[in-house]
Amino acid sequence: MQRRTLLLGLMGLGLAGCGLMGAPKAYRGPKVTQITVSKSRRKMWLMHNKRVLRRYNIGLGFAPEGHKKAEGDGRTPEGTYSIDRRNPNSAYHLSLGISYPNANDVAVAKAAGVEPGGDIFIHGRGPRFQRARGDWTWGCIAVTDREMTEIYSMVQTGTPIVILP
């Protein structure tokens, strides 16, 4: 009986610890006023005004050259957008939504007779893509799960994101 009680107690602690591992901690530093992404350099910076708070190596869409023009093209958008939603239940650990497509993206896609696509996020790898390297997403910006936990705690909805070629 004692052995069973001890085993159940240890299992409970283990499960409690698992829940806390990926949970974002409260960020108490300077406000992130902008996210800057350089597609050509595969870098992302969290900025407070002109000061770099954090920098990350990133993966992009599997066809990284050029601006996203159509659903399924594998490109990451270029331009100025904002973080418009937060997903704590993402299949890719955690994710922050990017406000693509904007009105111009929709107009360009409509003129070309295609759908602009959407659901572009900054996200982690999640359990299925832990070993993914390089540019592997459908147009999103990918970092490690550990980095995504940090980013998720620092970046608020409404934060501008500038994605450079």
Short mmCIF file of all heavy atoms in Angstrom, two decimals, residues 71-141:
data_model
loop_
_atom_site.label_atom_id
_atom_site.label_comp_id
_atom_site.label_asym_id
_atom_site.label_seq_id
_atom_site.Cartn_x
_atom_site.Cartn_y
_atom_site.Cartn_z
N GLU A 71 -2.38 31.17 -51.52
CA GLU A 71 -2.51 30.05 -50.58
C GLU A 71 -1.72 28.85 -51.10
O GLU A 71 -1.78 28.51 -52.28
CB GLU A 71 -3.98 29.68 -50.44
CG GLU A 71 -4.26 28.61 -49.43
CD GLU A 71 -5.75 28.44 -49.22
OE1 GLU A 71 -6.52 28.57 -50.19
OE2 GLU A 71 -6.14 28.18 -48.08
N GLY A 72 -0.93 28.24 -50.22
CA GLY A 72 -0.18 27.05 -50.57
C GLY A 72 1.12 27.28 -51.31
O GLY A 72 1.77 26.32 -51.71
N ASP A 73 1.54 28.54 -51.50
CA ASP A 73 2.77 28.79 -52.27
C ASP A 73 4.04 28.58 -51.45
O ASP A 73 5.14 28.63 -51.98
CB ASP A 73 2.76 30.17 -52.94
CG ASP A 73 2.79 31.35 -51.97
OD1 ASP A 73 2.94 31.14 -50.75
OD2 ASP A 73 2.65 32.49 -52.45
N GLY A 74 3.89 28.34 -50.13
CA GLY A 74 5.06 28.07 -49.30
C GLY A 74 5.93 29.26 -49.00
O GLY A 74 7.02 29.13 -48.47
N ARG A 75 5.43 30.45 -49.30
CA ARG A 75 6.20 31.66 -49.05
C ARG A 75 5.78 32.32 -47.74
O ARG A 75 4.63 32.25 -47.35
CB ARG A 75 6.02 32.65 -50.20
CG ARG A 75 6.65 32.18 -51.48
CD ARG A 75 6.63 33.28 -52.51
NE ARG A 75 7.35 32.86 -53.68
CZ ARG A 75 6.86 32.91 -54.91
NH1 ARG A 75 5.65 33.37 -55.12
NH2 ARG A 75 7.59 32.51 -55.92
N THR A 76 6.74 33.01 -47.14
CA THR A 76 6.49 33.83 -45.95
C THR A 76 6.23 35.25 -46.45
O THR A 76 6.97 35.75 -47.29
CB THR A 76 7.71 33.79 -45.01
OG1 THR A 76 7.95 32.42 -44.65
CG2 THR A 76 7.47 34.61 -43.75
N PRO A 77 5.17 35.91 -45.95
CA PRO A 77 4.87 37.27 -46.42
C PRO A 77 6.02 38.24 -46.14
O PRO A 77 6.86 38.00 -45.28
CB PRO A 77 3.64 37.68 -45.61
CG PRO A 77 3.18 36.49 -44.89
CD PRO A 77 4.26 35.47 -44.91
N GLU A 78 6.01 39.36 -46.86
CA GLU A 78 6.93 40.47 -46.63
C GLU A 78 6.10 41.72 -46.46
O GLU A 78 5.07 41.88 -47.12
CB GLU A 78 7.88 40.62 -47.82
CG GLU A 78 8.77 39.41 -48.02
CD GLU A 78 9.56 39.44 -49.32
OE1 GLU A 78 9.40 40.40 -50.12
OE2 GLU A 78 10.33 38.50 -49.54
N GLY A 79 6.51 42.58 -45.56
CA GLY A 79 5.79 43.82 -45.32
C GLY A 79 5.58 44.07 -43.85
O GLY A 79 6.18 43.41 -43.00
N THR A 80 4.71 45.02 -43.56
CA THR A 80 4.41 45.39 -42.18
C THR A 80 3.04 44.86 -41.80
O THR A 80 2.05 45.14 -42.48
CB THR A 80 4.46 46.93 -42.00
OG1 THR A 80 5.78 47.38 -42.37
CG2 THR A 80 4.18 47.33 -40.57
N TYR A 81 3.01 44.11 -40.73
CA TYR A 81 1.79 43.49 -40.21
C TYR A 81 1.76 43.71 -38.71
O TYR A 81 2.51 44.53 -38.18
CB TYR A 81 1.78 41.99 -40.56
CG TYR A 81 1.80 41.74 -42.05
CD1 TYR A 81 2.99 41.53 -42.74
CD2 TYR A 81 0.62 41.75 -42.79
CE1 TYR A 81 3.01 41.34 -44.11
CE2 TYR A 81 0.61 41.55 -44.16
CZ TYR A 81 1.83 41.35 -44.81
OH TYR A 81 1.83 41.15 -46.17
N SER A 82 0.91 43.00 -38.01
CA SER A 82 0.91 43.05 -36.55
C SER A 82 0.57 41.67 -36.01
O SER A 82 0.05 40.81 -36.73
CB SER A 82 -0.10 44.09 -36.02
OG SER A 82 -1.41 43.72 -36.36
N ILE A 83 0.88 41.47 -34.74
CA ILE A 83 0.48 40.24 -34.06
C ILE A 83 -0.99 40.42 -33.72
O ILE A 83 -1.35 41.34 -32.99
CB ILE A 83 1.34 40.00 -32.80
CG1 ILE A 83 2.82 39.86 -33.18
CG2 ILE A 83 0.84 38.78 -32.03
CD1 ILE A 83 3.13 38.75 -34.16
N ASP A 84 -1.84 39.55 -34.27
CA ASP A 84 -3.28 39.75 -34.10
C ASP A 84 -3.98 38.67 -33.27
O ASP A 84 -5.18 38.79 -33.02
CB ASP A 84 -3.97 39.90 -35.46
CG ASP A 84 -3.91 38.65 -36.32
OD1 ASP A 84 -3.23 37.66 -35.94
OD2 ASP A 84 -4.54 38.66 -37.40
N ARG A 85 -3.24 37.64 -32.84
CA ARG A 85 -3.86 36.63 -31.99
C ARG A 85 -2.78 35.76 -31.35
O ARG A 85 -1.65 35.71 -31.82
CB ARG A 85 -4.84 35.76 -32.77
CG ARG A 85 -4.23 35.01 -33.93
CD ARG A 85 -5.32 34.64 -34.95
NE ARG A 85 -4.85 33.89 -36.09
CZ ARG A 85 -4.25 34.40 -37.16
NH1 ARG A 85 -4.01 35.70 -37.23
NH2 ARG A 85 -3.88 33.62 -38.17
N ARG A 86 -3.18 35.11 -30.27
CA ARG A 86 -2.28 34.24 -29.51
C ARG A 86 -2.92 32.86 -29.43
O ARG A 86 -4.11 32.75 -29.18
CB ARG A 86 -2.07 34.80 -28.11
CG ARG A 86 -1.49 36.21 -28.11
CD ARG A 86 -1.58 36.88 -26.75
NE ARG A 86 -0.82 36.20 -25.75
CZ ARG A 86 0.50 36.29 -25.59
NH1 ARG A 86 1.21 37.06 -26.39
NH2 ARG A 86 1.12 35.63 -24.64
N ASN A 87 -2.15 31.82 -29.65
CA ASN A 87 -2.68 30.46 -29.57
C ASN A 87 -1.87 29.63 -28.58
O ASN A 87 -0.80 29.12 -28.92
CB ASN A 87 -2.67 29.80 -30.96
CG ASN A 87 -3.29 28.43 -30.94
OD1 ASN A 87 -3.74 27.94 -29.90
ND2 ASN A 87 -3.33 27.78 -32.08
N PRO A 88 -2.38 29.47 -27.36
CA PRO A 88 -1.67 28.67 -26.37
C PRO A 88 -1.83 27.16 -26.62
O PRO A 88 -1.14 26.36 -25.99
CB PRO A 88 -2.33 29.08 -25.05
CG PRO A 88 -3.72 29.46 -25.44
CD PRO A 88 -3.58 30.09 -26.81
N ASN A 89 -2.72 26.77 -27.53
CA ASN A 89 -2.97 25.35 -27.80
C ASN A 89 -2.50 24.94 -29.19
O ASN A 89 -3.06 24.04 -29.81
CB ASN A 89 -4.47 25.06 -27.65
CG ASN A 89 -4.95 25.37 -26.25
OD1 ASN A 89 -4.35 24.96 -25.28
ND2 ASN A 89 -6.00 26.15 -26.15
N SER A 90 -1.48 25.58 -29.70
CA SER A 90 -0.98 25.32 -31.04
C SER A 90 -0.40 23.92 -31.16
O SER A 90 0.24 23.42 -30.23
CB SER A 90 0.11 26.35 -31.38
OG SER A 90 0.75 26.03 -32.59
N ALA A 91 -0.56 23.30 -32.31
CA ALA A 91 0.09 22.02 -32.61
C ALA A 91 1.60 22.21 -32.70
O ALA A 91 2.35 21.24 -32.70
CB ALA A 91 -0.45 21.45 -33.91
N TYR A 92 2.05 23.47 -32.79
CA TYR A 92 3.47 23.81 -32.89
C TYR A 92 3.96 24.45 -31.61
O TYR A 92 4.67 25.44 -31.64
CB TYR A 92 3.69 24.73 -34.09
CG TYR A 92 3.27 24.10 -35.38
CD1 TYR A 92 2.00 24.30 -35.90
CD2 TYR A 92 4.13 23.26 -36.08
CE1 TYR A 92 1.60 23.70 -37.08
CE2 TYR A 92 3.74 22.66 -37.25
CZ TYR A 92 2.48 22.88 -37.75
OH TYR A 92 2.09 22.28 -38.91
N HIS A 93 3.55 23.91 -30.49
CA HIS A 93 3.90 24.33 -29.13
C HIS A 93 3.08 25.56 -28.71
O HIS A 93 2.12 25.42 -27.98
CB HIS A 93 5.40 24.56 -28.99
CG HIS A 93 5.83 24.96 -27.62
ND1 HIS A 93 5.56 24.19 -26.51
CD2 HIS A 93 6.48 26.05 -27.17
CE1 HIS A 93 6.03 24.80 -25.44
NE2 HIS A 93 6.58 25.93 -25.80
N LEU A 94 3.46 26.72 -29.14
CA LEU A 94 2.72 27.98 -28.92
C LEU A 94 2.81 28.75 -30.22
O LEU A 94 3.73 28.52 -31.01
CB LEU A 94 3.37 28.82 -27.81
CG LEU A 94 3.40 28.24 -26.41
CD1 LEU A 94 4.36 29.04 -25.52
CD2 LEU A 94 2.01 28.23 -25.80
N SER A 95 1.89 29.68 -30.45
CA SER A 95 2.01 30.47 -31.68
C SER A 95 1.40 31.85 -31.52
O SER A 95 0.49 32.06 -30.72
CB SER A 95 1.39 29.74 -32.87
OG SER A 95 0.03 29.49 -32.66
N LEU A 96 1.94 32.77 -32.31
CA LEU A 96 1.45 34.15 -32.40
C LEU A 96 1.04 34.41 -33.83
O LEU A 96 1.86 34.27 -34.76
CB LEU A 96 2.55 35.13 -31.98
CG LEU A 96 3.05 35.03 -30.54
CD1 LEU A 96 4.27 35.93 -30.34
CD2 LEU A 96 1.94 35.41 -29.57
N GLY A 97 -0.22 34.80 -34.03
CA GLY A 97 -0.74 35.04 -35.38
C GLY A 97 -0.25 36.36 -35.95
O GLY A 97 -0.16 37.36 -35.24
N ILE A 98 0.03 36.34 -37.24
CA ILE A 98 0.44 37.53 -37.99
C ILE A 98 -0.75 37.96 -38.86
O ILE A 98 -1.41 37.12 -39.46
CB ILE A 98 1.69 37.22 -38.84
CG1 ILE A 98 2.85 36.86 -37.92
CG2 ILE A 98 2.05 38.40 -39.75
CD1 ILE A 98 4.09 36.36 -38.63
N SER A 99 -1.01 39.24 -38.94
CA SER A 99 -2.22 39.77 -39.57
C SER A 99 -2.23 39.69 -41.10
O SER A 99 -2.89 40.49 -41.76
CB SER A 99 -2.46 41.22 -39.13
OG SER A 99 -1.39 42.05 -39.56
N TYR A 100 -1.54 38.74 -41.67
CA TYR A 100 -1.61 38.48 -43.10
C TYR A 100 -2.87 37.68 -43.38
O TYR A 100 -3.17 36.76 -42.63
CB TYR A 100 -0.39 37.67 -43.57
CG TYR A 100 -0.49 37.26 -45.03
CD1 TYR A 100 -0.02 38.10 -46.02
CD2 TYR A 100 -1.11 36.07 -45.40
CE1 TYR A 100 -0.14 37.75 -47.36
CE2 TYR A 100 -1.24 35.72 -46.73
CZ TYR A 100 -0.76 36.55 -47.70
OH TYR A 100 -0.90 36.22 -49.01
N PRO A 101 -3.64 37.97 -44.43
CA PRO A 101 -3.42 38.98 -45.45
C PRO A 101 -4.02 40.33 -45.06
O PRO A 101 -5.05 40.40 -44.40
CB PRO A 101 -4.16 38.40 -46.65
CG PRO A 101 -5.31 37.65 -46.06
CD PRO A 101 -4.78 37.10 -44.75
N ASN A 102 -3.37 41.40 -45.50
CA ASN A 102 -3.97 42.72 -45.32
C ASN A 102 -4.79 43.05 -46.58
O ASN A 102 -4.87 42.24 -47.51
CB ASN A 102 -2.90 43.79 -45.02
CG ASN A 102 -1.88 43.94 -46.13
OD1 ASN A 102 -2.15 43.67 -47.31
ND2 ASN A 102 -0.67 44.38 -45.77
N ALA A 103 -5.38 44.23 -46.63
CA ALA A 103 -6.25 44.59 -47.76
C ALA A 103 -5.50 44.56 -49.09
O ALA A 103 -6.04 44.10 -50.11
CB ALA A 103 -6.85 45.98 -47.53
N ASN A 104 -4.25 45.00 -49.10
CA ASN A 104 -3.46 44.98 -50.34
C ASN A 104 -3.19 43.54 -50.79
O ASN A 104 -3.28 43.23 -51.97
CB ASN A 104 -2.15 45.74 -50.15
CG ASN A 104 -1.39 45.85 -51.45
OD1 ASN A 104 -1.87 46.44 -52.42
ND2 ASN A 104 -0.21 45.26 -51.48
N ASP A 105 -2.85 42.66 -49.84
CA ASP A 105 -2.59 41.25 -50.18
C ASP A 105 -3.83 40.62 -50.80
O ASP A 105 -3.74 39.87 -51.77
CB ASP A 105 -2.18 40.46 -48.93
CG ASP A 105 -0.90 40.95 -48.30
OD1 ASP A 105 0.05 41.28 -49.04
OD2 ASP A 105 -0.84 40.99 -47.05
N VAL A 106 -5.00 40.93 -50.24
CA VAL A 106 -6.26 40.39 -50.76
C VAL A 106 -6.51 40.90 -52.18
O VAL A 106 -6.88 40.14 -53.08
CB VAL A 106 -7.44 40.73 -49.82
CG1 VAL A 106 -8.77 40.35 -50.44
CG2 VAL A 106 -7.25 40.03 -48.47
N ALA A 107 -6.28 42.21 -52.40
CA ALA A 107 -6.51 42.80 -53.73
C ALA A 107 -5.57 42.20 -54.78
O ALA A 107 -6.00 41.89 -55.89
CB ALA A 107 -6.33 44.32 -53.66
N VAL A 108 -4.31 42.02 -54.43
CA VAL A 108 -3.34 41.44 -55.37
C VAL A 108 -3.73 40.00 -55.71
O VAL A 108 -3.70 39.60 -56.88
CB VAL A 108 -1.90 41.53 -54.80
CG1 VAL A 108 -0.93 40.69 -55.60
CG2 VAL A 108 -1.45 42.98 -54.72
N ALA A 109 -4.10 39.24 -54.71
CA ALA A 109 -4.50 37.85 -54.95
C ALA A 109 -5.76 37.78 -55.80
O ALA A 109 -5.85 36.99 -56.75
CB ALA A 109 -4.72 37.13 -53.61
N LYS A 110 -6.73 38.65 -55.50
CA LYS A 110 -7.98 38.67 -56.27
C LYS A 110 -7.71 39.00 -57.73
O LYS A 110 -8.26 38.36 -58.64
CB LYS A 110 -8.95 39.68 -55.65
CG LYS A 110 -10.32 39.68 -56.29
CD LYS A 110 -11.27 40.63 -55.58
CE LYS A 110 -12.63 40.60 -56.26
NZ LYS A 110 -13.57 41.50 -55.61
N ALA A 111 -6.84 39.97 -57.97
CA ALA A 111 -6.49 40.35 -59.35
C ALA A 111 -5.81 39.20 -60.09
O ALA A 111 -5.96 39.07 -61.31
CB ALA A 111 -5.59 41.58 -59.34
N ALA A 112 -5.10 38.36 -59.36
CA ALA A 112 -4.43 37.21 -59.97
C ALA A 112 -5.34 35.98 -60.05
O ALA A 112 -4.94 34.95 -60.56
CB ALA A 112 -3.16 36.87 -59.18
N GLY A 113 -6.54 36.11 -59.48
CA GLY A 113 -7.49 35.00 -59.51
C GLY A 113 -7.17 33.86 -58.56
O GLY A 113 -7.53 32.72 -58.81
N VAL A 114 -6.48 34.20 -57.46
CA VAL A 114 -6.11 33.18 -56.46
C VAL A 114 -6.56 33.63 -55.07
O VAL A 114 -6.89 34.80 -54.86
CB VAL A 114 -4.59 32.91 -56.47
CG1 VAL A 114 -4.13 32.35 -57.81
CG2 VAL A 114 -3.80 34.16 -56.11
N GLU A 115 -6.54 32.70 -54.14
CA GLU A 115 -6.78 33.03 -52.73
C GLU A 115 -5.45 33.44 -52.10
O GLU A 115 -4.41 32.83 -52.40
CB GLU A 115 -7.35 31.82 -51.99
CG GLU A 115 -8.74 31.43 -52.43
CD GLU A 115 -9.77 32.48 -52.09
OE1 GLU A 115 -9.68 33.11 -51.01
OE2 GLU A 115 -10.67 32.70 -52.93
N PRO A 116 -5.45 34.44 -51.20
CA PRO A 116 -4.19 34.90 -50.62
C PRO A 116 -3.61 33.96 -49.56
O PRO A 116 -2.43 34.04 -49.24
CB PRO A 116 -4.56 36.24 -49.98
CG PRO A 116 -6.01 36.10 -49.66
CD PRO A 116 -6.59 35.25 -50.76
N GLY A 117 -4.43 33.06 -49.04
CA GLY A 117 -3.97 32.23 -47.94
C GLY A 117 -4.10 32.99 -46.63
O GLY A 117 -4.64 34.09 -46.57
N GLY A 118 -3.61 32.41 -45.58
CA GLY A 118 -3.69 33.01 -44.25
C GLY A 118 -3.10 32.07 -43.23
O GLY A 118 -2.30 31.20 -43.56
N ASP A 119 -3.49 32.25 -41.98
CA ASP A 119 -2.96 31.44 -40.88
C ASP A 119 -1.44 31.44 -40.86
O ASP A 119 -0.79 30.40 -40.77
CB ASP A 119 -3.49 30.00 -40.93
CG ASP A 119 -4.91 29.90 -40.42
OD1 ASP A 119 -5.34 30.82 -39.68
OD2 ASP A 119 -5.60 28.93 -40.76
N ILE A 120 -0.86 32.62 -40.94
CA ILE A 120 0.58 32.78 -40.85
C ILE A 120 0.91 33.11 -39.40
O ILE A 120 0.33 34.02 -38.81
CB ILE A 120 1.09 33.89 -41.80
CG1 ILE A 120 0.70 33.57 -43.25
CG2 ILE A 120 2.60 34.07 -41.66
CD1 ILE A 120 1.30 32.31 -43.82
N PHE A 121 1.85 32.36 -38.83
CA PHE A 121 2.20 32.48 -37.42
C PHE A 121 3.70 32.49 -37.20
O PHE A 121 4.46 32.01 -38.04
CB PHE A 121 1.66 31.26 -36.65
CG PHE A 121 0.17 31.23 -36.49
CD1 PHE A 121 -0.64 30.70 -37.48
CD2 PHE A 121 -0.43 31.72 -35.34
CE1 PHE A 121 -2.02 30.66 -37.34
CE2 PHE A 121 -1.81 31.68 -35.19
CZ PHE A 121 -2.60 31.15 -36.19
N ILE A 122 4.09 33.00 -36.04
CA ILE A 122 5.40 32.69 -35.46
C ILE A 122 5.10 31.52 -34.54
O ILE A 122 4.18 31.60 -33.71
CB ILE A 122 5.96 33.87 -34.64
CG1 ILE A 122 6.12 35.12 -35.50
CG2 ILE A 122 7.28 33.47 -33.98
CD1 ILE A 122 6.43 36.38 -34.68
N HIS A 123 5.82 30.42 -34.68
CA HIS A 123 5.52 29.26 -33.84
C HIS A 123 6.76 28.44 -33.55
O HIS A 123 7.81 28.61 -34.17
CB HIS A 123 4.42 28.40 -34.47
CG HIS A 123 4.74 27.80 -35.81
ND1 HIS A 123 5.72 26.86 -36.02
CD2 HIS A 123 4.17 28.01 -37.02
CE1 HIS A 123 5.74 26.50 -37.29
NE2 HIS A 123 4.81 27.20 -37.93
N GLY A 124 6.59 27.52 -32.59
CA GLY A 124 7.65 26.57 -32.26
C GLY A 124 7.59 25.37 -33.21
O GLY A 124 7.01 25.44 -34.30
N ARG A 125 8.16 24.27 -32.76
CA ARG A 125 8.21 23.06 -33.58
C ARG A 125 7.12 22.06 -33.21
O ARG A 125 6.67 21.32 -34.06
CB ARG A 125 9.57 22.39 -33.46
CG ARG A 125 10.68 23.28 -33.99
CD ARG A 125 12.02 22.58 -33.86
NE ARG A 125 13.10 23.46 -34.21
CZ ARG A 125 13.49 23.72 -35.45
NH1 ARG A 125 12.89 23.15 -36.44
NH2 ARG A 125 14.48 24.54 -35.68
N GLY A 126 6.73 22.04 -31.95
CA GLY A 126 5.76 21.06 -31.52
C GLY A 126 6.35 19.66 -31.59
O GLY A 126 7.47 19.46 -32.03
N PRO A 127 5.59 18.66 -31.16
CA PRO A 127 6.14 17.30 -31.08
C PRO A 127 6.49 16.68 -32.43
O PRO A 127 7.43 15.90 -32.52
CB PRO A 127 5.03 16.50 -30.39
CG PRO A 127 3.81 17.33 -30.46
CD PRO A 127 4.24 18.76 -30.63
N ARG A 128 5.81 17.04 -33.50
CA ARG A 128 6.05 16.40 -34.80
C ARG A 128 7.26 16.92 -35.55
O ARG A 128 7.78 16.25 -36.43
CB ARG A 128 4.82 16.57 -35.71
CG ARG A 128 3.64 15.75 -35.26
CD ARG A 128 2.47 15.83 -36.22
NE ARG A 128 2.87 15.54 -37.58
CZ ARG A 128 2.31 16.09 -38.66
NH1 ARG A 128 1.32 16.95 -38.52
NH2 ARG A 128 2.71 15.79 -39.87
N PHE A 129 7.72 18.13 -35.25
CA PHE A 129 8.77 18.75 -36.06
C PHE A 129 10.02 19.12 -35.25
O PHE A 129 10.73 20.04 -35.61
CB PHE A 129 8.21 19.98 -36.77
CG PHE A 129 7.12 19.63 -37.74
CD1 PHE A 129 5.79 19.74 -37.39
CD2 PHE A 129 7.43 19.17 -39.01
CE1 PHE A 129 4.78 19.40 -38.27
CE2 PHE A 129 6.44 18.82 -39.91
CZ PHE A 129 5.11 18.93 -39.54
N GLN A 130 10.29 18.38 -34.19
CA GLN A 130 11.46 18.67 -33.36
C GLN A 130 12.77 18.60 -34.15
O GLN A 130 13.70 19.32 -33.87
CB GLN A 130 11.52 17.72 -32.16
CG GLN A 130 10.49 18.04 -31.09
CD GLN A 130 10.67 19.43 -30.53
OE1 GLN A 130 11.75 19.82 -30.09
NE2 GLN A 130 9.60 20.23 -30.56
N ARG A 131 12.84 17.74 -35.14
CA ARG A 131 14.08 17.56 -35.90
C ARG A 131 14.12 18.39 -37.19
O ARG A 131 15.09 18.32 -37.94
CB ARG A 131 14.28 16.09 -36.24
CG ARG A 131 14.43 15.22 -35.01
CD ARG A 131 14.64 13.78 -35.40
NE ARG A 131 14.31 12.86 -34.34
CZ ARG A 131 15.16 12.44 -33.43
NH1 ARG A 131 16.39 12.86 -33.44
NH2 ARG A 131 14.77 11.60 -32.50
N ALA A 132 13.08 19.16 -37.45
CA ALA A 132 13.02 19.96 -38.68
C ALA A 132 14.14 20.99 -38.69
O ALA A 132 14.43 21.62 -37.68
CB ALA A 132 11.66 20.64 -38.81
N ARG A 133 14.75 21.17 -39.83
CA ARG A 133 15.82 22.16 -40.00
C ARG A 133 15.55 22.95 -41.28
O ARG A 133 14.87 22.49 -42.19
CB ARG A 133 17.18 21.47 -40.10
CG ARG A 133 17.58 20.67 -38.87
CD ARG A 133 17.84 21.59 -37.68
NE ARG A 133 18.16 20.84 -36.48
CZ ARG A 133 17.31 20.62 -35.49
NH1 ARG A 133 16.09 21.09 -35.54
NH2 ARG A 133 17.68 19.95 -34.43
N GLY A 134 16.14 24.11 -41.36
CA GLY A 134 16.00 24.93 -42.57
C GLY A 134 14.61 25.51 -42.69
O GLY A 134 13.93 25.78 -41.70
N ASP A 135 14.17 25.69 -43.92
CA ASP A 135 12.86 26.28 -44.22
C ASP A 135 11.87 25.15 -44.47
O ASP A 135 11.96 24.45 -45.48
CB ASP A 135 12.99 27.18 -45.45
CG ASP A 135 13.93 28.34 -45.19
OD1 ASP A 135 13.94 28.88 -44.07
OD2 ASP A 135 14.67 28.71 -46.12
N TRP A 136 10.93 24.97 -43.54
CA TRP A 136 10.07 23.79 -43.59
C TRP A 136 8.59 24.10 -43.41
O TRP A 136 7.77 23.21 -43.56
CB TRP A 136 10.50 22.78 -42.53
CG TRP A 136 10.48 23.33 -41.13
CD1 TRP A 136 11.47 24.01 -40.50
CD2 TRP A 136 9.41 23.25 -40.19
NE1 TRP A 136 11.09 24.37 -39.23
CE2 TRP A 136 9.82 23.91 -39.01
CE3 TRP A 136 8.13 22.67 -40.23
CZ2 TRP A 136 9.02 24.00 -37.88
CZ3 TRP A 136 7.34 22.78 -39.10
CH2 TRP A 136 7.79 23.44 -37.94
N THR A 137 8.23 25.33 -43.13
CA THR A 137 6.82 25.64 -42.85
C THR A 137 6.08 25.93 -44.16
O THR A 137 6.67 25.98 -45.23
CB THR A 137 6.68 26.85 -41.91
OG1 THR A 137 6.96 28.05 -42.64
CG2 THR A 137 7.62 26.75 -40.70
N TRP A 138 4.78 26.19 -44.05
CA TRP A 138 3.96 26.56 -45.21
C TRP A 138 3.91 28.08 -45.39
O TRP A 138 3.09 28.58 -46.14
CB TRP A 138 2.55 26.00 -45.05
CG TRP A 138 2.52 24.55 -45.41
CD1 TRP A 138 2.74 23.49 -44.57
CD2 TRP A 138 2.29 24.00 -46.69
NE1 TRP A 138 2.67 22.31 -45.26
CE2 TRP A 138 2.38 22.59 -46.58
CE3 TRP A 138 2.02 24.54 -47.94
CZ2 TRP A 138 2.21 21.75 -47.66
CZ3 TRP A 138 1.84 23.69 -49.02
CH2 TRP A 138 1.94 22.31 -48.87
N GLY A 139 4.79 28.82 -44.70
CA GLY A 139 4.83 30.27 -44.81
C GLY A 139 5.00 30.95 -43.47
O GLY A 139 5.12 32.17 -43.39
N CYS A 140 5.02 30.16 -42.41
CA CYS A 140 5.18 30.70 -41.06
C CYS A 140 6.65 30.95 -40.74
O CYS A 140 7.54 30.63 -41.52
CB CYS A 140 4.60 29.72 -40.04
SG CYS A 140 2.82 29.49 -40.21
N ILE A 141 6.88 31.51 -39.56
CA ILE A 141 8.21 31.76 -39.04
C ILE A 141 8.39 30.82 -37.86
O ILE A 141 7.61 30.86 -36.90
CB ILE A 141 8.36 33.23 -38.60
CG1 ILE A 141 8.16 34.16 -39.81
CG2 ILE A 141 9.70 33.46 -37.91
CD1 ILE A 141 7.93 35.61 -39.45
#
